[in-house]
Amino acid sequence: MKSIFLIVIVFLVVSCSGTKQLIESRPEQTKAVANANDTTKTVKTAEVGEPTQQSLSEKTETEAEQITLPPPPDPPKQVEDLMPLTHNRWNSILNTYVSNDGKVDYLGIKGSTEFDVYIDILLHNTPDDSWSKEQQLAYWINAYNALTVDLILRNYPISSIKDIKDPWDQRLWEFGDKWLNLNDIEHKILRKMNEPRIHFAIVCASESCPILLNEAFTADNLEVQLTNATKAFLSDTSKNEISENNLELSKIFKWFAKDFKTNGSLIDFLNQYTEVSISNNAKKSFKTYDWSLNN
């Protein structure tokens, strides 16, 4: 009986000792579990809160899709837009450097960068079949007059256009892929358009020529401009003296006689633009041509 009692006491002592060891070991286990939980939390936080490489790529692609691209450049201006701007530039030059009676300030034009720009625009914007007859006439009349001024400036100072060797035959200007001279423009282009009044619009830089208008020719105003230029030339007694039975005319009417007979006789043409009623039997003679420079 005594031995049994001793065994029970030993058992209780051993059990208490094991329980104490278990309790003492639990803080480390608890700490390990807490550490494990913290690690898991950190991983989850990284997955939720921090962008991964994949999410950054997706975001970049999305932002790229949202970028608004600039609109494409405007197409080249069509003739109806370009030519008024071109004529306005020439109009400004003429207004500044040409008097009402056609006297030209060549030195002033020579110092103008606008004139060089205008010539360059002409050379790179030549008419094609889409242009109306009026647009083509205005373009080539302005071009002829501007290139005549350019020719004078290339040789300035001079007292006459005839001081220049072969002034109308020098191919100094490249229109597109063609080099042209003043004769090409006058005889191969303008005269073939069956408009005799061009002879009072284009200018040879001389006193006996029609005056250089201090305005550009335009398609919209062409009919009025050509009519006024013709009337002004015929009424200038230094160039033409007209009466019912006697005509002292500019040599322009001699040099280009056939151009004024396309719709009747020369007298028929003149009677459209003079206040004098000229007889069909009027005598004709031609004035001496003054080639002095129109400055």
Side-chain angles (χ1 to χ4, degrees):
M1 190 68 179
K2 184 178 181 179
S3 60
I4 293 172
F5 180 75
L6 289 172
I7 291 171
V8 171
I9 292 173
V10 170
F11 177 78
L12 290 173
V13 170
V14 171
S15 297
C16 290
S17 176
T19 302
K20 182 180 180 181
Q21 290 177 356
L22 179 61
I23 293 172
E24 290 175 351
S25 66
R26 280 181 178 173
E28 293 181 3
Q29 293 175 356
T30 304
K31 183 177 181 182
V33 171
N35 289 341
N37 289 337
D38 289 342
T39 302
T40 303
K41 186 184 293 184
T42 302
V43 171
K44 290 182 177 179
T45 302
E47 291 176 350
V48 175
E50 296 179 7
T52 63
Q53 184 64 37
Q54 181 178 359
S55 65
L56 285 172
S57 299
E58 292 174 351
K59 183 178 180 182
T60 303
E61 291 177 1
T62 302
E63 289 177 347
E65 292 174 355
Q66 293 176 346
I67 293 174
T68 303
L69 296 175
D74 294 334
K77 289 182 179 294
Q78 300 300 312
V79 61
E80 60 267 24
D81 295 323
L82 175 64
M83 292 323 297
L85 294 174
T86 302
H87 295 325
N88 286 345
R89 189 181 297 274
W90 181 226
N91 195 77
S92 177
I93 294 168
L94 293 171
N95 262 275
T96 304
Y97 300 108
V98 180
S99 67
N100 290 333
D101 60 352
K103 301 298 182 183
V104 182
D105 177 8
Y106 287 103
L107 279 178
I109 298 177
K110 192 177 182 69
S112 168
T113 57
E114 283 292 291
F115 182 70
D116 294 330
V117 171
Y118 174 67
I119 296 294
D120 187 66
I121 292 173
L122 284 177
L123 299 183
H124 291 89
N125 294 279
T126 53
D128 57 35
D129 292 339
S130 69
W131 292 38
S132 68
K133 179 180 180 181
E134 290 75 19
Q135 288 171 329
Q136 293 185 52
L137 277 168
Y139 173 94
W140 287 114
I141 290 170
N142 289 331
Y144 186 96
N145 290 340
L147 298 185
T148 298
V149 171
D150 189 44
L151 177 67
I152 298 300
L153 294 181
R154 288 169 183 254
N155 296 273
Y156 200 81
I158 54 176
S159 58
S160 170
I161 192 171
K162 285 203 162 185
D163 292 341
I164 304 169
K165 182 180 180 181
D166 301 322
W168 296 283
D169 293 319
Q170 294 190 31
R171 285 193 168 86
L172 302 173
W173 306 281
E174 186 178 13
F175 287 82
D177 59 351
K178 294 181 180 179
W179 287 87
L180 300 181
N181 57 35
L182 293 173
N183 270 337
D184 291 330
I185 296 173
E186 181 175 10
H187 301 296
K188 296 179 181 179
I189 298 175
L190 283 170
R191 290 184 67 196
K192 289 187 175 182
M193 298 181 76
N194 298 318
E195 177 48 82
R197 292 175 296 176
I198 58 112
H199 293 294
F200 315 114
I202 59 176
V203 180
C204 61
S206 304
E207 287 293 335
S208 285
C209 287
I211 67 170
L212 178 62
L213 294 184
N214 57 359
E215 64 180 34
F217 285 86
T218 64
D220 291 342
N221 298 322
L222 189 65
E223 178 61 30
V224 171
Q225 288 176 310
L226 289 176
T227 295
N228 290 343
T230 303
K231 289 181 176 180
F233 184 76
L234 290 174
S235 64
D236 185 343
T237 56
S238 68
K239 296 161 185 174
N240 299 279
E241 294 186 55
I242 297 174
S243 64
E244 180 182 356
N245 296 304
N246 191 61
L247 302 172
E248 290 185 63
L249 300 176
S250 165
K251 283 187 177 178
I252 288 175
F253 292 104
K254 179 179 182 180
W255 296 330
F256 307 107
K258 71 176 185 177
D259 291 4
F260 301 104
K261 298 176 182 178
T262 55
N263 294 306
S265 66
L266 172 60
I267 302 299
D268 292 332
F269 175 84
L270 295 174
N271 274 329
Q272 295 179 71
Y273 303 102
T274 62
E275 295 181 358
V276 177
S277 180
I278 305 169
S279 168
N280 288 327
N281 298 317
K283 295 181 179 180
K284 295 192 297 290
S285 61
F286 299 97
K287 286 180 168 288
T288 300
Y289 211 83
D290 183 358
W291 290 101
S292 300
L293 195 67
N294 60 339
N295 59 352

